[in-house]
Amino acid sequence: MFGAAKEIGRSAILVEDKDTKILLDCGLKIRPKKPTEKPEGLDKYAKELQGVVISHAHFDHSGYIPGIVRAGYEGSIHMTQPTRDICEILFRDHLKIEGARFWNEEDMYNSLYQVANHYYEETFQLADGVSATFYDAGHILGSASVLLDWKGQLIFYTGDINTFETPYHDTNKYPTLEDISILISEATNGLRDLPDREVPNQALVRAIYATHKREGVTIIPTFALGRGQEIEAILAQEFINKPFNIYVDGMILKMNNVYRRYFHEYWVSKKILEWCREHRLEVPFDIPNFIPVNRNLADDLDSFRKMIVSEKKLTVVLSTSGMLEGGPIHSYLHYAAENPNNLIAISGYQVEGTVGREILDGSREITLFSWGNKKGIKIRINAEVRQFSFSGHAQRNELIKMIKAINSEKIVFVHGVEESAHHLKEDLANGAEIFIPDIRKPLVFPD
Ligand SMILES: [Zn+2]
Ligand SMILES: [Zn+2]
């Protein structure tokens, strides 16, 4: 365990016996206002690995892939095809933001060259006597859980899973085999139960109507990948054929292209495909009221964004970044946050130390990024601020249900804070041995 032990970020789990070493995930930890952290102590194993398997494209699971290649790994990197395409976008973006801190452009190209693509529920070989099968994790496009058949012993790694049906994905799938011996499970939401998925969907839509009634604009800061498309789908289904303008801005547009490429029953739910077929759309974000904000619309995007939020029309803005740390959302806040009629609709979990968290905790004076002014621009928030309880992860009671159904003898909790894992441990009490590993301390299981 080189990361994601009693923490969220830099997932990297080495599974080994005396002849074989396989790495599950290879991520970087992203920290607000600080540089990224890499999995500790992993590099020295790079040349000995027989396989690397990646659950999904989120950077905390994929960001160090070029790093392990730089450290000498020359073998295959197994993932689904959408994961590969999303990784490429994230890698390029990361180089732009952080530069070649742990790896450079050449390492990135080499690692993409080493990718081997697989579909869900098709078994592939990793090493002598070791094979793997991906299961749809329902978390983001292309996300997978991994079943390892390790010389006859079955190990199931959940990656990040969503037990909710979301607009694009059904609930996560897992094998119902009787003899899984080790389950490595995420524990992100071990402390909280979430309301049924319809609750935040409807609450958001209602809040948009209420904001419009008082002549305000709704600004939705959102993550580019997954949550962004989910919210697009919720808005599309509600506002199709209604005179709402929905402006979409930032990195989310690049990710939309990948969603378009894989908008097929193999990767997204039948429900959303059928909805699009009924409305004669290729993808949900093709409804006419969606307006991508890019240079085709205006040369001076900043002024254009100002105009968008000043229009007295039915307006919703969906823009990155989701934790308000930067990106075009800062332009919108600059021009819209002071108006008490407007709504800032926070659509995801806000990490400690981010601007999003600051606002949620009640701060009403924040500093925005500005190209022209190094110190940034201070603004006052008079707009309404609300958080909607979307989550991309398994909620506590559903997670427990899944763990009980898999019924393995040993359970290892990763990708969650320590308390969260302990909480799950108390709730389970099903006789299984439960481990909450520490970083860089191996768990040893005798045969
Ligand atoms: Zn994830
Ligand atoms: Zn994650």
Side-chain angles (χ1 to χ4, degrees):
M1 200 78 49
F2 298 96
K6 300 181 181 170
E7 66 176 348
I8 297 174
R10 56 171 172 175
S11 288
I13 303 164
L14 179 68
V15 184
E16 64 172 324
D17 64 15
K18 63 182 192 335
D19 313 302
T20 312
K21 287 186 175 67
I22 302 288
L23 183 68
L24 299 175
D25 280 341
C26 193
L28 279 177
K29 184 166 182 168
I30 297 186
R31 303 179 301 164
K33 297 172 192 74
K34 285 187 199 151
T36 50
E37 274 181 323
K38 68 174 192 173
E40 260 178 66
L42 179 64
D43 287 359
K44 66 169 190 251
Y45 296 95
K47 291 197 173 96
E48 298 165 29
L49 293 172
Q50 273 111 319
V52 174
V53 185
I54 303 297
S55 65
H56 67 294
H58 273 151
F59 217 60
D60 58 322
H61 300 257
S62 71
Y64 196 63
I65 294 173
I68 196 80
V69 167
R70 186 187 182 91
Y73 177 63
E74 290 178 347
S76 296
I77 304 164
H78 303 272
M79 61 182 80
T80 66
Q81 213 161 347
T83 297
R84 186 221 167 271
D85 289 9
I86 299 165
C87 278
E88 185 172 351
I89 297 172
L90 294 180
F91 290 168
R92 285 176 197 281
D93 190 59
H94 178 75
L95 277 177
K96 253 195 270 170
I97 294 169
E98 203 175 71
R101 182 169 149 79
F102 296 123
W103 46 264
N104 60 27
E105 202 175 350
E106 195 188 336
D107 305 320
M108 174 185 85
Y109 285 121
N110 287 339
S111 66
L112 291 170
Y113 189 70
Q114 283 166 240
V115 168
N117 290 134
H118 305 281
Y119 286 101
Y120 295 131
E121 294 179 45
E122 274 181 15
T123 302
F124 53 93
Q125 203 67 24
L126 285 171
D128 265 355
V130 181
S131 62
T133 313
F134 283 142
Y135 285 81
D136 188 350
H139 173 64
I140 57 166
L141 187 71
S143 63
S145 301
V146 189
L147 178 69
L148 290 181
D149 183 335
W150 192 283
K151 303 169 190 180
Q153 200 181 34
L154 299 179
I155 302 168
F156 188 62
Y157 169 50
T158 62
D160 290 358
I161 46 173
N162 200 338
T163 50
F164 279 120
E165 189 182 305
T166 55
Y168 281 88
H169 304 288
D170 294 330
T171 56
N172 71 303
K173 309 248 187 330
Y174 51 86
T176 42
L177 302 163
E178 283 190 354
D179 46 359
I180 291 178
S181 52
I182 303 171
L183 168 66
I184 306 169
S185 174
E186 67 135 307
T188 320
N189 282 336
L191 287 174
R192 54 180 195 154
D193 275 323
L194 295 158
D196 192 63
R197 195 47 197 257
E198 282 301 304
V199 174
N201 295 5
Q202 286 167 6
L204 176 65
V205 166
R206 274 201 305 272
I208 291 171
Y209 283 120
T211 305
H212 171 63
K213 230 177 174 175
R214 56 179 194 236
E215 298 199 327
V217 169
T218 301
I219 312 274
I220 311 176
T222 188
F223 306 112
L225 173 59
R227 184 65 37 78
Q229 287 72 27
E230 236 177 281
I231 291 181
E232 282 177 333
I234 295 164
L235 299 180
Q237 290 173 355
E238 177 65 31
F239 297 116
I240 188 168
N241 302 328
K242 289 183 188 160
F244 268 80
N245 287 339
I246 299 160
Y247 293 93
V248 185
D249 200 344
M251 177 89 145
I252 185 172
L253 295 170
K254 272 192 194 164
M255 292 303 174
N256 279 356
N257 291 337
V258 186
Y259 271 74
R260 185 186 297 280
R261 205 173 304 151
Y262 295 98
F263 201 72
H264 180 271
E265 63 181 353
Y266 215 90
W267 303 108
V268 300
S269 72
K270 287 206 174 69
K271 241 187 184 167
I272 193 116
L273 289 167
E274 264 161 35
W275 185 84
C276 284
R277 215 169 292 138
E278 252 169 56
H279 293 87
R280 299 182 180 280
L281 295 166
E282 194 188 323
V283 287
F285 41 86
D286 274 349
I287 66 167
N289 9 6
F290 268 70
I291 306 163
V293 178
N294 54 36
R295 300 229 180 258
N296 297 338
L297 285 180
D299 278 336
D300 180 357
L301 284 180
D302 195 54
S303 309
F304 188 74
R305 289 173 182 136
K306 184 176 178 183
M307 188 202 80
I308 290 171
V309 295
S310 318
E311 281 179 325
K312 289 257 178 297
K313 284 189 184 157
L314 301 136
T315 300
V316 179
V317 174
L318 196 62
S319 176
T320 49
S321 75
M323 299 199 195
L324 299 96
E325 282 288 278
I329 193 72
H330 278 203
S331 277
Y332 293 106
L333 289 179
H334 185 189
Y335 301 116
E338 284 183 24
N339 182 344
N341 292 337
N342 293 340
L343 168 69
I344 301 169
I346 309 264
S347 66
Y349 181 74
Q350 305 293 308
V351 169
E352 207 70 51
T354 59
V355 177
R357 185 56 175 265
E358 244 180 80
I359 298 176
L360 273 184
D361 287 347
S363 170
R364 287 297 172 263
E365 298 247 343
I366 58 160
T367 306
L368 298 176
F369 172 80
S370 158
W371 286 107
N373 181 348
K374 264 199 180 148
K375 283 191 187 149
I377 309 167
K378 276 205 167 44
I379 59 153
R380 168 128 204 107
I381 298 177
N382 300 319
E384 183 189 358
V385 176
R386 267 185 75 182
Q387 186 178 30
F388 297 85
S389 51
F390 294 99
S391 175
H393 294 275
Q395 62 151 336
R396 195 181 60 97
N397 48 19
E398 291 296 329
L399 189 60
I400 289 170
K401 226 190 266 173
M402 179 196 78
I403 293 170
K404 286 187 173 161
I406 291 177
N407 196 26
S408 66
E409 297 144 30
K410 297 181 178 72
I411 302 166
V412 182
F413 284 122
V414 296
H415 199 283
V417 293
E418 190 173 356
E419 271 175 286
S420 177
H422 277 294
H423 212 267
L424 284 169
K425 186 173 174 172
E426 278 163 32
D427 287 344
L428 265 166
N430 65 344
E433 252 184 291
I434 296 175
F435 303 87
I436 303 168
D438 283 299
I439 194 161
R440 300 200 65 182
K441 284 208 191 113
L443 293 175
V444 182
F445 303 113
D447 296 328

